[in-house]
Amino acid sequence: LRLPPGNVLEIPMNLLRSASASVDYVQGRATISRSGDSSKGVERGQVLQEGDQLQLDPDAFVTVRLADGSSVRVQANSELTLRQLRRRGRAGSLQSVLELQQGGVEVDVPGRRDATRTLDVLTPVAATSVRGTRFEVQASAQGTAAAVERGRVVMGARQHPDTARPLAAGYGMAVRTDGQASAPPRPLPPPPP
């Protein structure tokens, strides 16, 4: 098999090395489910793998540390799946996809410049992609809302990727369950005094 110079090889994501995550903090009752296994309680220091599903009770709170140092705070009454945790190459920039079925997450991504590293948060109706920022995503029966505290994210409807819009720090937006943005990005209210 000969490859002429200049050809591009694309390697499917499922053939790349997998990465892991770990539980930094647990408060209240949270469970983890792995394919083929029954659910069990989440414990501090526990290693999480691609495909793991977290379910948090109304009084629970869990912080997950991804391999690139990103911190994901899973809020009470949430369901989150670690859909993809992959590394590219030997040094391995991390490609992470988190799927939030309900509830909320607050994500803090280190600000190191790496154009190949990505972290996506998917909900039933929206997709949010981020690099070097801090933001929050909430999924409910009405749709998905995102708010950016630091940095920038891109948010759009999953069914209509061409609707993705940048969100700067201090702004938020929502996507309704029909896949439409409810309004253009709006400034967040000031913090209470």
Side-chain angles (χ1 to χ4, degrees):
L1 299 174
R2 293 183 182 204
L3 297 172
N7 278 5
V8 176
L9 293 176
E10 292 190 25
I11 300 171
M13 193 62 73
N14 64 341
L15 295 180
L16 297 177
R17 275 186 353 185
S18 62
S20 62
S22 61
V23 177
D24 266 4
Y25 182 80
V26 180
Q27 177 181 316
R29 186 174 182 281
T31 59
I32 180 173
S33 301
R34 289 196 170 127
S35 60
D37 292 343
S38 59
S39 62
K40 58 183 177 180
V42 174
E43 298 175 4
R44 185 173 184 207
Q46 184 173 7
V47 174
L48 303 175
Q49 302 169 357
E50 188 173 279
D52 285 353
Q53 297 177 318
L54 297 172
Q55 292 187 319
L56 280 67
D57 282 0
D59 65 342
F61 173 81
V62 173
T63 302
V64 174
R65 177 80 51 196
L66 300 180
D68 69 351
S70 296
S71 176
V72 179
R73 288 176 279 291
V74 186
Q75 298 171 1
N77 209 26
S78 294
E79 291 181 29
L80 179 75
T81 301
L82 305 176
R83 184 66 55 211
Q84 185 180 93
L85 298 173
R86 295 287 168 159
R87 288 194 176 278
R88 290 185 185 205
R90 289 182 190 255
S93 62
L94 192 65
Q95 311 297 302
S96 303
V97 178
L98 309 177
E99 192 164 334
L100 180 66
Q101 290 81 22
Q102 76 172 28
V105 293
E106 187 178 322
V107 182
D108 191 356
V109 179
R112 293 181 300 239
R113 292 284 177 204
D114 180 355
T116 61
R117 179 182 69 181
T118 62
L119 191 156
D120 296 335
V121 178
L122 306 178
T123 69
V125 298
T128 307
S129 298
V130 64
R131 289 189 186 102
T133 192
R134 183 179 172 125
F135 70 107
E136 184 175 343
V137 177
Q138 295 286 330
S140 70
Q142 290 75 39
T144 298
V148 181
E149 183 180 316
R150 181 182 73 234
R152 289 173 56 110
V153 303
V154 174
M155 181 179 184
R158 285 182 72 175
Q159 299 88 349
H160 309 287
D162 56 324
T163 64
R165 297 180 184 170
L167 283 176
Y171 283 81
M173 74 179 275
V175 176
R176 297 186 310 243
T177 54
D178 64 4
Q180 299 300 314
S182 59
R186 292 189 177 173
L188 298 174

